[in-house]
Amino acid sequence: MRQSLSSCTDPVRVLIVEDDPMVNNFCTRLLQMKGYNVKTTFNGREALSALETHQFDLVLTDLQMPEMNGMTLLREMRNHHYDVDTIMFTAYATVDTAREALKLGAFDYLTKPFSVDELERTVCRAIEWRRARQERQRLSEVVALYEISQTFTSTLDTETAVHKIVELLWRRFSPAALSLSLVHPEDHELELLACHTAPPSQTPPRAGEQGRGVAVGVRIPLRQGAGYDDLVEEHAQLIDHQDAVAPSHLARFVLRTNDRPVGVLDLIRSPDQPAFDSNDRTLLTICASQIAASLDNSRLYRQLKHQNLEMIAALAASIDARDPYTAGHSLQVMRYAVRLGEVVGLERDRIEALRYGGLLHDIGKIGVPDAILLKPAHLTPEEIETMRAHPVIGVEIVRGIKALRAVLPIIRHHHERIDGAGYPDKLSGDQIPLEARIMAIADAYDTMTSDRAYRRAMRQEEAIAELRRGRGTQWDADLTDQFINLVQAEGQTLRPPDARIAQVSLEYATVHIPQIVLPQF
């Protein structure tokens, strides 16, 4: 059982274990006169029962007692109550006895008969040593928690930050339930980021899973000017928690940064677990400030990324809109490329490159004259060369944006071929960046399955047959096979029926920006 030292304002809790009534009474009266909170027992077995139900800072125990002697009690305390200090006293002290008692964790020992001064001095030294030791432990734990919390404040990805927060809190504080929500001030909404219930012995759940049957990511509206009570009430509504919890077993924080609410953190312990003590609450307060800063930074970063992606999507839509037959092409290519990247197991940053690369892969068509871009017939060799310049033009347009440098190889090489007959650099095989090989397949498939002025759209079966004919020569063979399996399994999901309706007029296509379902970052 975990024990914690009484605060400076609380009396020190002492357990006396002595079968001699006179010695027991003497020690009890002296320590009570000095302000200690004293409980007495008469053998080791009674002492163990008291230790199971009460918290003590110090145990004074005789060596020779009926039922269970002091040395056996020391051994039991070492296994189950190792953080309670002990002073042993005996009328038959030997060097070996003293050595064994100290080896088992006793702070010191007194030889009977002992004086008032000896008892008082030894108890004071034990308490002072205990306070100093636990203060060092507490400060060390604060520093350790602060250093660990830096791992989630150093990331701007919300999902990663939440996972690290949940993992840290679950491991350190062993709650029976944990929930975390985030305020979105721009939308006046509260979002559930984590909600977990499990026995502390189980592996802590990853953020993004579900607890209590509640779906993480759900949002509810916030009242205007919501205060502490409003946030707590709406957080409880999010996690659908109606059960009353004793205040001693509830650690609740309205997370704040820059003097405004960021979210709510709840940790709950079950009645059979220890209550949250003052040390727990101090450490949680330190963590809460770090969590608030981390979540607010990741929210702002996610909002900025969302805005950037929306602007790029709008730019891509305006490029597509130059040709009413290609409206929505970039967005659809992005869907295919991102999903194929996920299937082949690309890391998150490479998936993000595919997301932006899909939207921007044809941005260079801004530099292609309308007479060529919108020509309703096959192009001449000269016109083909002009059209083939769009990857290079696209790279020059995007080159100055530092945040999009990872996208440049995708834009430049999405028309290369595995056999080296592509453009603009005639790369072959693995010389072509993996993301560009993925984009080439996604681009080709969407082009084949879309109407053009000079031909109708291919059916899925026809497009798949064309991909099979070009696997290993035009497109990467393994990626082509995986993409075919993908569209056969998820084609309807990846390509909604209304995603690519040809626009009636160029005027409408110019102003119409497709509705974008953006990912959660």
Side-chain angles (χ1 to χ4, degrees), residues 324 501-509:
I501 300 174
Q503 308 303 314
V504 175
S505 67
L506 185 58
E507 178 183 359
Y508 177 71

Side-chain angles (χ1 to χ4, degrees), residues 116-372:
V116 170
D117 287 343
E118 285 178 318
L119 178 60
E120 183 180 352
R121 192 164 51 246
T122 305
V123 169
C124 284
R125 284 194 299 108
I127 294 301
E128 288 171 0
W129 171 255
R130 180 176 175 83
R131 287 191 187 279
R133 185 183 74 243
Q134 291 198 342
E135 182 64 16
R136 287 196 302 272
Q137 291 173 347
R138 190 187 70 81
L139 291 175
S140 175
E141 193 169 32
V142 168
V143 171
L145 274 177
Y146 183 82
E147 290 175 348
I148 292 171
S149 69
Q150 297 302 300
T151 62
F152 58 73
T153 56
S154 63
T155 180
L156 291 173
D157 177 72
T158 303
E159 183 178 342
T160 301
V162 170
H163 170 58
K164 291 181 180 296
I165 290 167
V166 170
E167 187 177 45
L168 169 65
L169 297 180
W170 201 276
R171 184 175 64 248
R172 170 56 185 81
F173 299 101
S174 300
L178 182 153
S179 56
L180 178 65
S181 60
L182 174 65
V183 172
H184 292 276
E186 68 281 356
D187 300 322
H188 300 291
E189 291 179 333
L190 187 67
E191 178 188 2
L192 183 63
L193 298 181
C195 181
H196 301 291
T197 55
S201 60
Q202 291 185 3
T203 302
R206 287 188 62 96
E209 296 175 351
Q210 294 187 3
R212 300 183 187 273
V214 180
V216 171
V218 170
R219 295 191 185 194
I220 60 173
L222 275 175
R223 300 186 185 98
Q224 290 289 342
Y228 178 94
D229 292 337
D230 296 320
L231 274 176
V232 168
E233 180 181 337
E234 282 152 353
H235 178 83
Q237 180 183 339
L238 264 177
I239 63 176
D240 192 26
H241 188 266
Q242 308 296 331
D243 301 334
V245 180
S248 60
H249 285 64
L250 170 64
R252 171 171 290 155
F253 299 87
V254 172
L255 306 173
R256 303 184 69 87
T257 184
N258 297 323
D259 200 33
R260 72 177 170 75
V262 170
V264 179
L265 170 66
D266 269 7
L267 282 84
I268 298 173
R269 283 179 175 164
S270 59
D272 59 342
Q273 291 181 276
F276 290 103
D277 60 25
S278 58
N279 287 339
D280 288 332
R281 295 182 187 279
T282 299
L283 294 173
L284 279 168
T285 300
I286 294 170
C287 283
S289 64
Q290 295 292 103
I291 291 169
S294 173
L295 292 182
D296 198 42
N297 288 338
S298 63
R299 178 191 63 80
L300 291 171
Y301 179 67
R302 180 168 62 174
Q303 182 182 356
L304 180 61
K305 286 187 69 175
H306 198 278
Q307 290 172 346
N308 287 342
L309 193 58
E310 282 183 325
M311 288 189 290
I312 290 173
L315 176 61
S318 67
I319 296 167
D320 292 347
R322 290 180 65 197
D323 179 357
Y325 285 95
T326 62
H329 169 70
S330 297
L331 183 60
Q332 189 58 49
V333 170
M334 179 196 78
R335 289 194 186 100
Y336 288 139
V338 165
R339 187 68 188 98
L340 181 55
E342 292 171 346
V343 168
V344 301
L346 291 187
E347 298 85 355
R348 179 172 298 182
D349 58 339
R350 299 179 77 177
I351 295 291
E352 288 301 293
L354 284 174
R355 197 181 307 282
Y356 287 98
L359 292 173
L360 292 171
H361 75 284
D362 276 344
I363 191 173
K365 288 183 177 179
I366 289 176
V368 177
D370 284 352
I372 297 175

Side-chain angles (χ1 to χ4, degrees), residues 454-469:
Y454 51 86
R455 63 156 176 81
R456 66 168 180 82
M458 292 184 184
R459 297 192 308 275
Q460 177 176 297
E461 296 77 10
E462 295 173 312
I464 287 175
E466 191 64 29
L467 288 176
R468 288 196 172 110
R469 278 191 289 271

Side-chain angles (χ1 to χ4, degrees), residues 391 394-396 398-400 404-413:
V395 167
E396 293 306 312
V398 177
R399 188 184 301 279
L404 294 177
R405 286 180 178 172
V407 178
L408 297 181
I410 300 175
I411 297 174
R412 184 177 183 92
H413 299 301

